Amino acid sequence: MLFTNAKIIIKDSVIQKGFLRTTKGKITEIGSGNPQETKEEEPIEDCQGLFLSPGFIDIHSHGGGGHDIMDGSENDIIKAAQTHLKHGTTTYYPTTLTSSDEALFHTFTCFRTAQRSKKVLPHLLGLHLEGPYFNMAEKGAQNPRYIRNPDPKHYMPIMEKGEGIISRISFAPELPGALEMADRLRDSGIMLSAGHTAATYDQIKKAFDHGVTHLTHFYSGMSSISRVGGFRILGTVESGYLIDGLSIELIADGMHLPPDLLKMILKLKNHEKICVCTDSMRGADMPDGLSILGPKQLGQVVIIEDGIAKMPDHTGFAGSVATMDRLVRVMVYQAGLPLWEAVRMASLLPAKFMGIEAHTGSLEAGKDADLLLFDNDITIKKVFVDGKAITFE
């Protein structure tokens, strides 16, 4: 296919009027103006001045469209993934919650079945395990019944049953046995991420030396400055700023992190180490009203209103209902980033953090033709996966 008359978002700027060519699901040519030649019987997509962008990559999402990925069937994973595909997510990492081993292993089975589905889906490259090795002091919405310390007798069977489908694990690195686990997993290709953690700066520094390279939902479920005997002790938040090699993810819905805090993060942290993620629950792309946080069987009843899920007594937030297009919109129109850089945080940078940037994440010759067309408001008009236009029901 030949895309013409497009504002093409490349990794460091926007080509104001350009073209892009795809062949057999790959990008083969990009340029400004019009192509010097067209090929016979080559389908042409006149973009009519819309932005042509790489597809978004969501590395942390629990569900959407009324489905949680741990609801118990492959259809729930498929429906959640399709919901996010409509909003521009062409690569999707479903994320588990702390649960029983039985529920986790059943999710593994459902995910493998979903991967083999012939239905229209974003790329399902792997699972993100959020838990169960968390600090109770920062557990957030995680079920305390299943929270525990890392033990090879527990995590090695999980790794064995999840072989080939676990792409990332979030855990509290200060727990007994956590660094031993990191040492065992660091060369397996699994991203090690600190989350729901009360670690001090010194503990995060040590964890970084053991292969922990990322912080899960920055500011949420993590320690900050505390006082011990009068001395101020830095926490995980401060580690994100001070350790240059650590990457961070932002739930950039404008609510978990208000716009002024987003601006502060952008001022203090190297932009090449920041990506956005939805951390969405089933309420993403759903109308206001009652919903459930977590699996239907054991979840918490919550209320969706004002663009977020809230606890029934309105004492606090109960989960994100964001989609990736909304995050880009917030980063541009509320945090002040140029569009190309906000898109980069939703595509190339999460790809780099997950180690898949060689074939996806930016519009470059040789990469997968996962493409979006959207307008100035980042409203998605068309989605292409492997060069094929997606039709939604």
Side-chain angles (χ1 to χ4, degrees), residues 336-348:
L337 279 182
L339 177 59
W340 67 264
E341 191 168 14
V343 166
R344 183 181 175 91
M345 289 183 181
S347 54
L348 181 58

Side-chain angles (χ1 to χ4, degrees), residues 5 37 40 68-69 97 118 123 128-129 132 147 181 197 213 239 250 261 269 275 303 310 322 359 368 378-379 384 391:
N5 191 26
E37 60 180 33
E40 287 187 19
D68 187 280
I69 72 111
L97 286 165
K118 301 300 182 182
H123 301 289
H128 167 202
L129 306 189
I147 289 176
M181 182 177 73
T197 169
T213 60
S239 304
L250 309 179
L261 181 53
K269 182 69 177 176
C275 73
I303 299 172
K310 301 176 182 177
H359 65 84
D368 297 343
I378 305 99
T379 300
F384 300 82
T391 301

Side-chain angles (χ1 to χ4, degrees), residues 36-75:
Q36 292 184 350
E37 60 180 33
T38 57
K39 301 175 182 178
E40 287 187 19
E41 299 181 358
E42 182 177 46
I44 296 177
E45 177 77 35
D46 183 349
C47 300
Q48 300 180 352
L50 291 171
F51 289 100
L52 183 61
S53 163
F56 302 142
I57 299 172
D58 192 355
I59 65 174
H60 187 163
S61 168
H62 299 277
H67 300 268
D68 187 280
I69 72 111
M70 297 192 75
D71 276 344
S73 78
E74 63 272 14
N75 187 61

Side-chain angles (χ1 to χ4, degrees), residues 373-392:
L373 283 174
F374 57 72
D375 61 16
N376 288 330
D377 293 325
I378 305 99
T379 300
I380 306 297
K381 301 298 185 180
K382 288 188 177 182
V383 179
F384 300 82
V385 176
D386 288 332
K388 297 178 182 178
I390 303 302
T391 301
F392 298 101

Side-chain angles (χ1 to χ4, degrees), residues 6-22:
K7 297 175 185 174
I8 302 180
I9 302 173
I10 55 177
K11 59 185 180 180
D12 56 2
S13 61
V14 178
I15 299 173
Q16 289 302 316
K17 184 178 181 181
F19 69 92
L20 181 146
R21 178 171 273 131
T22 69

Side-chain angles (χ1 to χ4, degrees), residues 90-210:
T90 56
T91 298
Y92 185 65
Y93 288 90
T95 302
T96 64
L97 286 165
T98 295
S99 69
S100 68
D101 292 350
E102 181 183 11
L104 182 63
F105 296 154
H106 183 63
T107 301
F108 289 174
T109 299
C110 294
F111 179 74
R112 287 189 169 103
T113 304
Q115 280 186 312
R116 296 191 296 268
S117 171
K118 301 300 182 182
K119 295 183 179 180
V120 173
L121 288 169
H123 301 289
L124 300 176
L125 301 185
L127 288 169
H128 167 202
L129 306 189
E130 193 177 9
Y133 312 117
F134 288 147
N135 193 310
M136 288 289 286
E138 294 287 354
K139 66 180 179 60
Q142 301 286 337
N143 191 334
R145 178 180 177 183
Y146 301 110
I147 289 176
R148 56 182 297 159
N149 291 335
D151 182 331
K153 293 180 181 178
H154 186 252
Y155 61 73
M156 290 311 295
I158 291 175
M159 295 301 121
E160 289 165 9
K161 288 183 181 294
E163 185 177 2
I165 60 169
I166 299 173
S167 295
R168 170 183 172 189
I169 182 169
S170 292
F171 64 99
E174 72 275 16
L175 297 178
L179 296 185
E180 178 189 349
M181 182 177 73
D183 289 340
R184 287 191 177 213
L185 301 184
R186 66 186 302 176
D187 296 326
S188 65
I190 298 173
M191 177 210 262
L192 305 181
S193 184
H196 294 278
T197 169
T200 65
Y201 170 57
D202 287 340
Q203 288 171 325
I204 294 293
K205 277 200 304 182
K206 192 171 183 179
F208 181 73
D209 292 337
H210 285 260

